[in-house]
Amino acid sequence: MIPEALLKPYDPAQNEEGVYARWEKSGFFNPDNLPAQAGLKGAEEPFTIIMPPPNANGSLHVGHALFVTLQDLLIRFKRMRGFKALWLPGADHAGFETQLVYEKKLEKEGRSRFKMTRDEFYAETLAFTMENKKHMEKELRRLGASCDWSREQFTLDPHIIKTVYGTFKQLYEDGLAYRGVRPVNWSTKYQTSLSDLETKTIERNDPLYYMKYGPFTIATVRPETKFGDTAVAVNPNDSRYQNYIGKTIEYEGLIGKVKLQVVADEYVDPAFGTGVVKITPAHDKNDFEVAKRHGLPAVEVIDKFGKLNERCGKYAGMKVMEARAAVVADLRTRGMLEKVDEAYTHNVLVNYKNENDVLEPRIMPQWFVKMRPLADKAREAVESGRIRFFPDFQKKIFFHWLETMEDWNISRQIAWGIAIPAWFCGNPNSRRMGFAGEVVPQVFKGKVATWRLRDHGFSVGDVVAFEDSSARKIFGSGKILAIKKTTVGEMNLQDAKHYKTYNTREELIAAFKKHNPDRVVNADTPVWSYEYEFNPTLSKDGCGMIVVATDTPALCPSCSGSALTQDPDTFDTWFSSGQWPFATLKYPDNSDFKTFYPTSVMETGYDILFFWVMRMIMLGLYRTGEVPFRDVYLHGLVRDAQRQKMSKSKGNVISPLAMCEKYGTDALRLALIMGNTPGMDMALSEDKIRAQKHFANKLWNIARFVLTAVDGEKPSKKPAILPQHQEYLDEFSATLVDITKDLEAYRLHLAAEKLYHYAWSRFADVILEESKPTLKGEDPAAKASIQWTLYIILEDLLKALHPFAPFVSEEIWSLMPEHRGLLMVEKWPAQ
RNA sequence: GCGCGGUUAGCUCAGUUGGUAGAGCGCUCGAUUUACACUCGAGUGGUCGCAGGUUCGAGUCCUGCACCGCGCACCA
């Protein structure tokens, strides 16, 4: 008998939910339950994919559908090949991004996070996120994700946080995480710093102002920062300005007398503007670098709200653009504005999530992770082939990035995230400096020499904390008595006790170099010498100790038991998600970690190669000593039929769930696989999805035809097979071997296309047609031969198609005679 | 500026190691008591961006150029 269901047309929307429920109920998504059935390898060899946790702040988009399709394809394929296949799902709290989404929601309701307490805001965002997480999980099921829900993780789960804390503590103790005062990308709108990756540059038109600076004219787009100038710079080879180098210029500025040193630096392009640059180290990254090279102080003039501060005289309190207009107007009245180039185009740094949020470079105390040592190991892992990239060319982009990378700012001033496990004794911004000499339990006077810019800005009379050279231990506090500038060449060898006592200048220079390998040190390197009075108990404001711990420490271990204040900042979400592979597997002791790590494949979009993949490689290698995954498969972006980026505002968004309802999940999945080359963007149109719905229907009808041909019975034993039919079987076997090779080599699109063409153009259009006369004919031997052949091919075809079109294949399988088990755990039909 | 891709049929794209140019959609003509009209058959349509080179043979390998896209770094 032919199953009645098969006689009706195929209706994916009606079948799919039931099929998914059967899979989930079977427990086979959990690799621990996989049967050691005949022919399987006993499900012992692991195959692991950690799912990139979708942001739990909205609906799944077609990009999510793509990764679900690709990863589910790989997992189902390996599961059928007998592997202990684990696909571990998760959800991401997505720190800054979710905060933006939630703030937008608040804005619509006429509310603002700045009018809420931090805890209120956190609680509301958490509730919002957990609600979205539920939807998200439902949608993943709708897409057919055969992931192990029993192992699902959320980025704010307590054990994840514990792992993240452990990594941070280790980085801190190894000197790779440090609290530094360096320029960061500051968002005045959202009141947080952002990592370099969270920024983008956009082209903008701003007037270029030519202003008088004493004897010079200087071109700038930011005249309002002039109050933070600490020098002017020229190119050392610029003949026009040779006489000024090293001199100090003096002139009457807008808010009083200005004295600026003239320095020579290669950074200055003599061909641009007038060849003279104002140096504003506190509000420009390049200027900061120049300042570092020449030992110039950094003077902050813009506060965290983007307003000019008290150093700016009558301009204090004005916002940047307002101040710019005022300064320009005043310069003009006083004849200090030479000209204005209105048609000047340059690039400005903005928030990558909001182009209207122009970022302000500011020097702030933040947490940084030293990239160089981690990057070198990551590079080695890829160069040696321990991590492979698919497609291979993506690794060149990866290498290029590793070369140009700067230290990673991992602290965010946002509420929605994992709190940083650092505690300050006293003011978190209390200033610290290196310590000279031995620790002695009594008051004494001494000298310390340092050239690190982070130690700048001290004045006589300041109370500072003294730390050891590893910047981890605080000895006590001191009061600065005098500050003197000198150079390494002029330094008294005994003054440099901070770095030990040296016999020769070469030894001293070598020690400086060792202390900071990133920097060129020679006899001209500027050094500050601080005379101080050290007092181990002097502690007006706590001792300044920073405690990094995985559990909340009680009291400061350094000074006499002062209370500690936790760092109010949170981690960059990528710092925690960078640890996702080993954190989700519960490093280091859980059996999951031991079984499934290193994982097999990391499948994700090339757009987060740097944000995520690179960080996982670096942090995974650092924490576990092993690569987090062996293969990286990078897919491209899904664009619309005209290759335009999909966006709500353009109205060209294809909603994956709507497509599932309309054409079936299999159709959507097939459309996302076929014609999608690894690492390249793809164009997706509704037409393409519709075409794949036709394919699913074709399969349904193939099954109906074959089952009709065998009268609904499985042929009981193999008859003598006619040579022509044997050819059909051999040809199909060869196709399956070919497809298997494609899948193993991540040529997923080719595998799908070959199966499609075999099923449709070969099996249906030729073999089934050719079989018709035999089936109707009078030769029982030939009939038995073709019946057996058709049935076997259909079985294997369904198995091979299952990873690509899991729903329709499983549904047909369930309608086949004598099939009790699930197709998803059948043995793959080729070696 | 540095780096990475792309350029193949009207459109969107495949083409794994060099061996007679492919798919889907579209278009034209035809078929029909059919497993399937969500169908079948036939056809239309390409000097594979340009110029050289290697080779018996190049869409595929090498060199140069052009255009498009992306990433990084950016001139105040």
Side-chain angles (χ1 to χ4, degrees):
Chain A
M1 281 294 293
I2 316 300
E4 235 174 84
L6 204 50
L7 298 175
K8 294 182 209 153
Y10 180 57
D11 180 356
Q14 201 155 31
N15 277 315
E16 289 177 350
E17 256 173 81
V19 171
Y20 193 89
R22 264 184 281 157
W23 290 331
E24 199 170 357
K25 206 177 144 208
S26 77
F28 293 141
F29 290 172
N30 181 341
D32 298 335
N33 298 333
L34 283 174
Q37 63 196 62
L40 293 187
K41 288 182 187 173
E44 273 168 13
E45 197 178 328
F47 179 84
T48 318
I49 298 180
I50 305 291
M51 182 190 291
N55 294 352
N57 59 23
S59 290
L60 295 191
H61 53 70
V62 71
H64 292 114
L66 176 59
F67 91 61
V68 168
T69 300
L70 297 173
Q71 290 168 34
D72 194 49
L73 163 56
L74 292 170
I75 278 288
R76 285 180 189 271
F77 170 60
K78 290 288 182 171
R79 191 184 286 127
M80 292 175 80
R81 292 210 91 184
F83 286 81
K84 192 176 173 80
L86 169 64
W87 187 18
L88 193 150
D92 194 348
H93 73 285
F96 183 60
E97 292 197 21
T98 301
Q99 178 152 333
L100 287 195
V101 171
Y102 199 69
E103 277 189 57
K104 226 173 233 175
K105 186 171 176 269
L106 285 177
E107 214 171 289
K108 266 188 200 157
E109 295 164 4
R111 301 162 67 204
S112 157
R113 83 157 150 127
F114 297 110
K115 288 178 190 155
M116 301 162 77
T117 69
R118 196 185 166 95
D119 290 346
E120 278 168 4
F121 179 76
Y122 187 96
E124 280 196 27
T125 312
L126 181 64
F128 171 78
T129 302
M130 295 321 268
E131 192 54 36
N132 274 303
K133 182 169 168 284
K134 272 190 250 164
H135 292 306
M136 190 268 287
E137 289 158 359
K138 213 175 144 194
E139 291 175 341
L140 286 177
R141 286 182 165 86
R142 192 68 191 80
L143 292 167
S146 65
C147 51
D148 181 3
W149 293 107
S150 74
R151 283 180 167 87
E152 193 194 7
Q153 321 254 327
F154 178 48
T155 48
L156 295 181
D157 285 344
H159 83 92
I160 299 282
I161 293 177
K162 206 181 143 202
T163 304
V164 170
Y165 281 8
T167 304
F168 181 65
K169 184 164 185 270
Q170 196 178 320
L171 284 165
Y172 183 68
E173 283 168 2
D174 286 348
L176 293 174
Y178 64 93
R179 186 139 177 100
V181 184
R182 295 192 18 198
V184 293
N185 311 301
W186 180 256
S187 162
T188 52
K189 181 172 168 68
Y190 299 104
Q191 291 293 300
T192 183
S193 66
L194 296 172
S195 73
D196 294 342
L197 285 180
E198 290 164 308
T199 65
K200 64 175 178 180
T201 45
I202 56 163
E203 211 169 69
R204 212 171 69 169
N205 201 285
D206 279 309
L208 182 65
Y209 302 98
Y210 286 76
M211 317 185 287
K212 292 256 191 213
Y213 264 57
F216 302 125
T217 298
I218 286 176
T220 180
V221 284
R222 301 205 61 184
E224 75 281 3
T225 61
K226 72 199 306 294
F227 311 113
D229 295 347
T230 55
V232 295
V234 297
N235 190 287
N237 303 316
D238 194 328
S239 55
R240 292 171 291 178
Y241 305 116
Q242 286 299 318
N243 295 337
Y244 290 100
I245 295 172
K247 306 259 169 63
T248 298
I249 59 161
E250 259 191 75
Y251 70 98
E252 192 60 31
L254 291 178
I255 56 167
K257 199 162 247 165
V258 179
K259 269 189 171 176
L260 293 172
Q261 195 190 334
V262 182
V263 299
D265 198 286
E266 293 284 350
Y267 152 75
V268 181
D269 176 2
F272 185 89
T274 58
V276 190
V277 187
K278 70 193 200 66
I279 300 298
T280 321
H283 299 291
D284 185 289
K285 235 166 142 181
N286 290 309
D287 290 4
F288 181 84
E289 293 301 322
V290 173
K292 218 159 95 175
R293 287 194 284 273
H294 298 275
L296 304 166
V299 176
E300 180 179 290
V301 289
I302 297 168
D303 71 10
K304 64 180 189 171
F305 302 106
K307 289 180 179 168
L308 272 64
N309 69 13
E310 72 286 348
R311 291 200 178 90
C312 306
K314 63 173 182 168
Y315 306 101
M318 291 185 187
K319 287 215 157 197
V320 163
M321 291 312 281
E322 192 187 343
R324 186 176 302 177
V327 166
V328 168
D330 290 349
L331 286 172
R332 188 166 277 140
T333 359
R334 292 178 51 175
M336 289 166 71
L337 191 66
E338 196 165 277
K339 63 168 181 175
V340 181
D341 179 0
E342 294 283 353
Y344 180 65
T345 312
H346 69 145
N347 292 325
V348 285
L349 204 63
V350 298
N351 180 339
Y352 77 132
K353 285 284 156 192
N354 181 351
E355 289 190 7
N356 297 322
D357 183 22
V358 176
L359 300 171
E360 187 62 60
R362 292 184 80 236
I363 298 177
M364 301 177 78
Q366 299 269 348
W367 287 102
F368 294 90
V369 173
K370 245 195 178 102
M371 289 283 100
R372 187 51 50 204
L374 299 178
D376 288 344
K377 288 207 167 126
R379 169 183 266 279
E380 192 281 325
V382 176
E383 269 174 350
S384 68
R386 281 189 293 150
I387 297 177
R388 303 186 299 168
F389 275 70
F390 296 89
D392 192 60
F393 75 81
Q394 293 281 0
K395 81 180 180 203
K396 293 188 211 163
I397 302 173
F398 180 80
F399 288 146
H400 185 246
W401 204 87
L402 287 180
E403 278 159 28
T404 56
M405 174 173 46
E406 287 181 30
D407 286 357
W408 174 17
N409 172 208
I410 56 164
S411 45
R412 296 288 173 279
Q413 292 65 52
I414 63 175
W416 181 236
I418 299 177
I420 294 177
W423 286 264
F424 301 104
C425 184
N427 181 353
N429 297 328
S430 78
R431 292 179 294 179
R432 295 138 51 97
M433 65 160 55
F435 182 66
E438 294 144 40
V439 188
V440 273
Q442 68 262 352
V443 178
F444 69 99
K445 288 186 183 177
K447 251 187 182 179
V448 62
T450 180
W451 49 272
R452 286 174 292 170
L453 195 90
R454 54 180 284 213
D455 300 324
H456 274 32
F458 295 128
S459 309
V460 173
D462 281 353
V463 174
V464 295
F466 283 103
E467 65 192 11
D468 72 350
S469 55
S470 62
R472 282 199 296 278
K473 199 164 173 207
I474 299 291
F475 293 112
S477 304
K479 191 187 234 172
I480 297 174
L481 303 175
I483 301 174
K484 214 177 106 197
K485 184 181 170 186
T486 162
T487 65
V488 173
E490 292 159 8
M491 244 174 109
N492 181 330
L493 292 178
Q494 257 135 27
D495 281 353
K497 276 195 239 162
H498 178 56
Y499 303 96
K500 280 191 339 206
T501 305
Y502 301 99
N503 298 318
T504 65
R505 192 140 312 274
E506 286 64 42
E507 273 183 44
L508 170 63
I509 291 175
F512 267 102
K513 281 182 175 162
K514 195 181 157 201
H515 213 70
N516 192 338
D518 304 340
R519 173 143 184 209
V520 179
V521 180
N522 53 40
D524 298 331
T525 305
V527 177
W528 286 263
S529 171
Y530 296 85
E531 279 174 36
Y532 63 89
E533 183 182 59
F534 176 79
N535 183 342
T537 56
L538 177 69
S539 156
K540 188 179 117 202
D541 196 19
C543 72
M545 174 79 181
I546 297 177
V547 183
V548 170
T550 49
D551 297 304
T552 307
L555 292 169
C556 177
S558 184
C559 64
S560 32
S562 302
L564 295 166
T565 319
Q566 187 169 7
D567 188 336
D569 291 352
T570 51
F571 282 123
D572 178 357
T573 194
W574 299 104
F575 180 73
S576 47
S577 41
Q579 304 174 46
W580 197 236
F582 64 86
T584 50
L585 293 169
K586 302 184 179 161
Y587 169 83
D589 296 325
N590 194 282
S591 64
D592 273 3
F593 178 76
K594 290 173 183 159
T595 307
F596 296 107
Y597 192 90
T599 67
S600 310
V601 189
M602 174 48 60
E603 195 290 318
T604 191
Y606 68 75
D607 52 326
I608 54 173
L609 176 60
F610 302 132
F611 278 106
W612 199 42
V613 177
M614 179 193 72
R615 266 84 176 253
M616 282 191 287
I617 295 174
M618 292 194 300
L619 292 172
L621 280 168
Y622 172 72
R623 187 78 196 274
T624 72
E626 287 202 73
V627 297
F629 30 72
R630 307 214 179 276
D631 292 345
V632 177
Y633 179 99
L634 295 163
H635 62 248
L637 305 177
V638 183
R639 296 168 176 274
D640 77 1
Q642 277 72 46
R643 293 196 57 79
Q644 300 291 306
K645 259 190 185 167
M646 289 190 189
S647 74
K648 279 178 196 160
S649 53
K650 279 187 207 148
N652 59 352
V653 173
I654 294 181
S655 152
L657 277 296
M659 293 299 110
C660 290
E661 287 309 309
K662 198 165 169 189
Y663 303 109
T665 302
D666 290 326
L668 174 66
R669 290 172 56 130
L670 287 163
L672 285 169
I673 295 167
M674 296 191 16
N676 186 355
T677 321
M680 309 286 287
D681 292 356
M682 75 171 304
L684 182 71
S685 63
E686 204 170 320
D687 275 349
K688 213 164 173 176
I689 303 169
R690 190 186 308 114
Q692 297 304 331
K693 178 186 191 284
H694 296 175
F695 179 63
N697 184 65
K698 189 75 183 177
L699 291 175
W700 189 257
N701 283 294
I702 286 171
R704 187 192 297 172
F705 179 87
V706 172
L707 288 188
T708 308
V710 299
D711 302 319
E713 300 288 330
K714 181 175 179 174
S716 52
K717 63 171 191 235
K718 186 176 178 180
I721 304 297
L722 300 187
Q724 188 199 4
H725 303 158
Q726 190 57 49
E727 262 176 50
Y728 293 157
L729 290 167
D730 293 345
E731 170 197 54
F732 183 45
S733 292
T735 305
L736 287 177
V737 168
D738 193 26
I739 286 165
T740 305
K741 277 187 197 152
D742 283 337
L743 288 172
E744 290 290 355
Y746 300 102
R747 295 187 295 258
L748 312 180
H749 59 305
L750 291 187
E753 281 158 30
K754 283 172 187 170
L755 265 176
Y756 179 96
H757 286 111
Y758 180 81
W760 200 318
S761 310
R762 183 68 191 156
F763 190 52
D765 289 349
V766 177
I767 297 175
L768 295 192
E769 289 304 322
E770 283 178 0
S771 75
K772 283 176 182 175
T774 315
L775 288 167
K776 285 178 192 150
E778 298 301 319
D779 180 348
K783 190 173 172 184
S785 171
I786 192 65
Q787 282 176 322
W788 202 86
T789 303
L790 295 182
Y791 193 85
I792 293 302
I793 292 180
L794 175 63
E795 272 197 339
D796 283 357
L797 186 61
L798 289 173
K799 289 177 194 170
L801 276 163
H802 183 256
F804 300 89
F807 290 101
V808 67
S809 57
E810 187 75 74
E811 183 63 18
I812 294 172
W813 186 259
S814 74
L815 298 172
M816 304 271 283
E818 288 179 33
H819 282 147
R820 299 282 182 273
L822 288 171
L823 179 58
M824 73 178 280
V825 288
E826 280 292 317
K827 189 188 168 197
W828 183 255
Q831 282 306 307

